[in-house]
Amino acid sequence: GPDFQNAETSSPLEQSSNHSPDAIAPLSITGTIHFDEVGMCEVEDMAEFIAATELVLADTACGDYSSQMCTVRIVSVCGVPVEDIYMGTRKLQSSVGAVYEYEMTLGRACGMLNCADAQTVADQTFALVQQDINAAIQDGSFVAQLQTHTQGSSGSLATMLTNTTLTANMDRVVVVGSANSLYYPDWTKSNGGCKTGGGQPLYMTLAPSTWMEATLEACCSKYYGYMLNACMGTSGDAPSGLWYPDWAGQDDTCKNDGNEPEYMASNPVAWMKPSKEACCEANFGWMLNECLGSSANATDKWFMDWNLFKCKKDCDVGTGPSCGGRANWWDGLFDTRSACCAEKAAWNPTDCLVD
């Protein structure tokens, strides 16, 4: 295991007068173990194998340091959360081997180091743990321990362990005590958002590498990418001048006031148009006139008003003779009333021609 007490330190830490040999820096390390056997995604005795993997990781990473806090939890297997695996709600699949993601929580004795500079302690521990895990994989002891802890399991698991090749990656280390300075998703609010300064659920505090981020932007990007500006507390870019369908409003129209929803601003090609007419046609085609409002010009052409069975002019009622209001987008338009009546009321053209 890592030789925590005899690890080399930098002189600034050695010279600190605030150290305490008994001080503990609680750390959280995340990483993955990769088996090149695809079948390791669906081990028959999965619960037993997960427990064995956790035990071997803890023994390898902590070694003689077992008197202090040291726990390992497998978080996911082949991208599926362990909780879902146990419940049988999701089927594990992989074509590139099996990846077991873990989180390790351990207490690092600062020794002659200054725990006030906990990140230095964390970085040093990270390097030592990484070194020990890689060494155990390379000399075969990691697999040998897995085989010992899974004796009596299915023959297929024994075969896969004999044939598999392992690699390990460690992602990052976080000082658990510093979790209150990290950002976490506030799922208690319907409109979401990231917070810092404490108040996060206990499971986030115990697994900050999994749930928490160092910056507001990183937290918002991870959990609220669809409403990034709102999460960040910014208004985003200046209004684009494009028109968007205001489905949240009461007037069923398109607007270009820059208040489009985040998902529209993030994908304007799909949701926004260069003109109000284009936006209304794409999103309110069945009620085009209402959407266009006063911005649309009357055509002064003729259309059949099926309520009256007469041809009327496409213009607002009261603005001129024979104006019948605005034609709908599906109404056929004609240059003359006679042409309209001949086409739409051929059985009674005379009555159609008079108001």
Side-chain angles (χ1 to χ4, degrees), residues 34-244:
H34 182 274
F35 301 86
D36 68 351
E37 287 283 339
V38 175
M40 301 295 285
C41 279
E42 294 185 332
V43 175
E44 183 176 343
D45 306 306
M46 180 59 78
E48 179 183 353
F49 184 68
I50 287 176
T53 304
E54 292 172 340
L55 182 59
V56 173
L57 277 168
D59 287 345
T60 303
C62 300
D64 296 335
Y65 197 58
S66 58
S67 60
Q68 298 292 351
M69 174 182 65
C70 182
T71 61
V72 176
R73 181 174 68 94
I74 299 298
V75 177
S76 68
V77 177
C78 300
V80 178
V82 167
E83 293 78 6
D84 290 352
I85 296 173
Y86 290 156
M87 294 177 63
T89 56
R90 291 178 61 184
K91 183 177 177 62
L92 284 66
Q93 294 181 340
S94 175
S95 60
V96 292
V99 177
Y100 284 58
E101 181 185 6
Y102 67 85
E103 178 156 34
M104 180 184 303
T105 304
L106 53 86
R108 165 72 156 93
C110 297
M112 298 303 292
L113 297 178
N114 176 13
C115 271
D117 190 5
Q119 191 58 52
T120 297
V121 179
D123 293 341
Q124 184 185 69
T125 305
F126 183 88
L128 291 169
V129 170
Q130 188 173 44
Q131 174 182 308
D132 272 30
I133 291 178
N134 286 333
I137 289 176
Q138 292 171 9
D139 66 21
S141 60
F142 196 98
V143 170
Q145 290 185 70
L146 283 176
Q147 292 171 323
T148 298
H149 290 302
T150 56
Q151 286 182 352
S153 298
S154 64
S156 60
L157 174 58
T159 300
M160 285 189 290
L161 285 176
T162 299
N163 297 331
T164 193
T165 298
L166 272 69
T167 55
N169 291 295
M170 287 172 57
D171 300 325
R172 64 174 178 169
V173 60
V174 172
V175 180
V176 176
S178 67
N180 286 351
S181 67
L182 300 177
Y183 289 84
Y184 64 94
D186 183 12
W187 288 322
T188 64
K189 295 182 178 180
S190 59
N191 59 346
C194 287
K195 296 176 66 176
T196 188
Q200 67 273 7
L202 179 60
Y203 68 88
M204 293 187 185
T205 300
L206 296 176
S209 297
T210 299
W211 298 103
M212 306 178 75
E213 298 296 332
T215 65
L216 176 62
E217 182 177 6
C219 179
C220 289
S221 297
K222 181 175 182 179
Y223 296 107
Y224 300 105
Y226 60 93
M227 49 173 283
L228 184 61
N229 288 333
C231 180
M232 294 283 292
T234 61
S235 60
D237 297 330
S240 64
L242 298 176
W243 295 79
Y244 68 94

Side-chain angles (χ1 to χ4, degrees), residues 4-26:
F4 293 116
Q5 300 296 337
N6 297 320
E8 294 182 2
T9 64
S10 59
S11 56
L13 294 176
E14 291 174 345
Q15 296 168 4
S16 171
S17 60
N18 297 322
H19 63 73
S20 169
D22 298 324
I24 298 295

Side-chain angles (χ1 to χ4, degrees), residues 298 303 305 308 312-327:
F303 70 97
D305 183 340
L308 300 174
K312 293 288 187 176
K313 188 177 287 188
D314 177 27
C315 50
D316 291 331
V317 175
T319 61
S322 301
C323 285
R326 306 307 303 279

